[in-house]
Amino acid sequence: MRAPPRSAVPPGAAADGRPVSAAVGSRVDRRLIAPLLIAAAVLDLTRCSLVLVTFRHPGPAAGLVAAGIGAAALSLTAALGCRAGHRWAAWAALLIGAASAPQASASGFHGPYTIPDAATAALGILLTVTILTTAGRTGTPGTRDGLPALLENGALSSRPR
């Protein structure tokens, strides 16, 4: 069996032709960030199931479950946006990563939440660092954009005075 042909998307452009953000500019970056966001969603849903098992009062438990499902939905939406190359996905991933560690530590790492909270805090830090380290990458390797390319081409030096 043959695999279906892939459409070629130029680096720095999304599948719909719009430019992508620098943090999700290359295919490797998108393949790294999207699974981290999916893992964040899985950890949010894990904590939701733990809330249902451990809480005795339905009111606070319903609020925590709703917040966890909302956070998981936001993480999955950002992962899909990241895979598609949307600009907003990098910002959403950065905010999710930055908010994950404080949100995980809010419960105090007690009881059955120790492992999911520690994993969420570590994943949040890893996601934030990944976004920040890939933020400076733009374009394709070997291309020169900006002022040095203009100076080499002589575009600025041939201007009349």
Side-chain angles (χ1 to χ4, degrees), residues 68-96:
I69 290 173
L74 179 65
S75 296
L76 290 175
T77 304
L80 290 174
C82 184
R83 292 292 303 247
H86 295 292
R87 290 178 180 255
W88 58 266
W91 287 104
L94 181 66
L95 292 175
I96 290 168

Side-chain angles (χ1 to χ4, degrees), residues 38-48 115-121 123:
I38 292 170
V42 168
L43 287 171
D44 285 332
L45 293 176
T46 301
R47 274 206 305 277
C48 286
I115 293 173
D117 283 343
T120 300
L123 184 69

